[in-house]
Amino acid sequence: MTAYESDLLRLLDSRGYIHQVTDHGALDQLAAKQVVPGYIGFDATAPSLHVGSLVQIMMLRRLQQTGHKPIVVMGGGTTKVGDPSGKDESRKLLDGDAIQDNIASIRTVFERLLTFGDGPTDAVMVDNDEWLSKLGYVELLRDVGPHFTINRMLTFDSVKLRLDREQPLTFLEFNYMILQAYDFLELARRYECRLQMGGSDQWGNIVNGMELSRRMEGHELFGLTTPLLTTADGAKMGKTAAGAVWLNEEQLPAYDFWQYWRNSDDRDVGRFLRLFTDLPLDEIARLEALEGAAINDAKIILANEVTKLVRGEDAAKAAEATAKETFAGGGAGEDLPALSVGAEGMRIGAVLTAIGFTSSNGEAKRKVAEGAVKIDDTVITDMGYEVAPAAGETLKLSLGKKKHGLLTQ
């Protein structure tokens, strides 16, 4: 671990956020003597970000916790183009109204994790559409174009991987890195922003922005990236068999969000506690050293702490209570996912897929054959089984030990 002078880099380093920094020493000195405005950009392709973005949001929280100014850049402009980084195909393009609706929805999560206001270290949220949509095409070509070479742009992973796989990369997407670089220049002008942070896949884009700003206006800027975040079994963070783990309640109920963290691999508990909670490091060291069944206590603390930060304390308490009632008491907590099957009822395979426990009828059939499906703790082995609750009756559906739901008429 590097010996840093600034609280910012000490905190980021001790909790495992740092992968690459453009100039450790100079950034450390700057952060030790003055408030450093720093930003991360988030495109608004959906009404919610997912868990894969949470490490970036937590970095902005760490920035504020150590006396610096977080700038949340919502990509109202760049979302119209689409970031090719890590993508095998072009994104579906959204219209302006859909993008603004998504931004309004996404903001609610940031408001829980950051303090917004007009003070020197208060967070601000800005929309890059404010400046990108005003750029004239000829003006952009003339002023910014000379600072980019096609030769170098073709070496960036976001471009190179698509071309190597012989997958189409549109001219629209090819321009994304120029717009992101321009963001850093504009933020340095408007907010004296000195730092851009992001995931490791954004390193090339960040360096582009630094160089553009240095060449055009002589700014000394910095870049910092986090490691590629995967779970211990190698899966991409925030993706499950059932789909993305969304941060907003409207896209994913609090119980399912809580359960995602409760089901963490034993090997991930300490790392996740450092990255996604505010618990002191000595307490985290104690929790990650637990062994056997005791590690489950650490997972419950992890689930509670992350849910409290992202969804609020009430949501965390309700989710834990539902889990206790479902697993320990054999009951059916009210926060479980629910499905109305109608007065005519539904076959068990259709129920499993409709509630989101299986992705297809074939998968449902396999689960039933394996004896993994229960109704009110009774194993169902017949795919023809008709689920038909009486009026006012609630049945508990279970798939394995971890998935539970409520079925009503």
Side-chain angles (χ1 to χ4, degrees), residues 62-134:
R62 304 304 184 207
L63 193 72
Q64 190 163 52
Q65 286 174 334
T66 52
H68 302 284
K69 186 178 186 70
I71 301 172
V72 183
V73 177
M74 295 309 304
T78 41
T79 302
K80 294 175 182 177
V81 174
D83 184 1
S85 300
K87 301 289 182 297
D88 288 337
E89 56 186 27
S90 301
R91 277 182 177 159
K92 179 184 175 184
L93 296 179
L94 302 177
D95 64 32
D97 288 343
I99 291 170
Q100 289 308 310
D101 287 346
N102 288 346
I103 289 173
S105 177
I106 289 168
R107 184 183 173 95
T108 59
V109 169
F110 284 97
E111 286 173 339
R112 289 193 187 277
L113 289 152
L114 301 173
T115 300
F116 286 85
D118 300 323
T121 63
D122 285 340
V124 295
M125 179 177 280
V126 297
D127 183 346
N128 64 14
D129 193 53
E130 187 180 330
W131 52 83
L132 292 181
S133 289
K134 293 175 184 173

Side-chain angles (χ1 to χ4, degrees), residues 148-164:
F148 289 84
T149 66
I150 297 296
N151 315 58
R152 187 153 186 269
M153 291 168 79
L154 289 172
T155 68
F156 281 35
D157 283 346
S158 58
V159 173
K160 192 168 180 291
L161 292 175
R162 289 271 283 275
L163 297 180
D164 287 349

Side-chain angles (χ1 to χ4, degrees), residues 48-54 57 236-239 244-247:
S48 173
L49 300 174
H50 59 69
V51 161
S53 298
L54 188 56
I57 302 173
K236 192 171 182 179
M237 188 77 187
K239 300 287 186 183
V245 182
W246 300 105
L247 301 184

Side-chain angles (χ1 to χ4, degrees), residues 290-303:
L290 296 174
E291 296 181 351
I295 193 69
N296 289 327
D297 295 336
K299 292 181 185 181
I300 289 171
I301 290 171
L302 169 66

Side-chain angles (χ1 to χ4, degrees), residues 100-241:
Q100 289 308 310
D101 287 346
N102 288 346
I103 289 173
S105 177
I106 289 168
R107 184 183 173 95
T108 59
V109 169
F110 284 97
E111 286 173 339
R112 289 193 187 277
L113 289 152
L114 301 173
T115 300
F116 286 85
D118 300 323
T121 63
D122 285 340
V124 295
M125 179 177 280
V126 297
D127 183 346
N128 64 14
D129 193 53
E130 187 180 330
W131 52 83
L132 292 181
S133 289
K134 293 175 184 173
L135 280 174
Y137 186 57
V138 173
E139 172 194 5
L140 181 69
L141 288 176
R142 186 191 62 219
D143 296 342
V144 178
H147 302 290
F148 289 84
T149 66
I150 297 296
N151 315 58
R152 187 153 186 269
M153 291 168 79
L154 289 172
T155 68
F156 281 35
D157 283 346
S158 58
V159 173
K160 192 168 180 291
L161 292 175
R162 289 271 283 275
L163 297 180
D164 287 349
R165 294 173 187 154
E166 296 185 358
Q167 291 161 331
L169 178 74
T170 67
F171 181 67
L172 183 70
E173 293 172 291
F174 192 57
N175 277 271
Y176 185 93
M177 65 182 78
I178 297 176
L179 297 184
Q180 186 173 328
Y182 190 85
D183 279 350
F184 206 175
L185 170 67
E186 195 65 31
L187 291 164
R189 287 170 174 166
R190 293 179 180 224
Y191 298 96
E192 297 182 2
C193 182
R194 303 293 299 275
L195 172 66
Q196 182 182 174
M197 300 181 290
S200 57
D201 62 335
Q202 294 298 316
W203 179 253
N205 289 334
I206 291 171
V207 171
N208 258 347
M210 290 170 51
E211 291 184 357
L212 178 66
S213 197
R214 178 181 57 79
R215 288 171 180 167
M216 289 185 69
E217 304 208 354
H219 296 142
E220 184 188 20
L221 305 180
F222 301 93
L224 186 154
T225 62
T226 56
L228 176 67
L229 200 58
T230 57
T231 55
D233 60 4
K236 192 171 182 179
M237 188 77 187
K239 300 287 186 183
T240 68

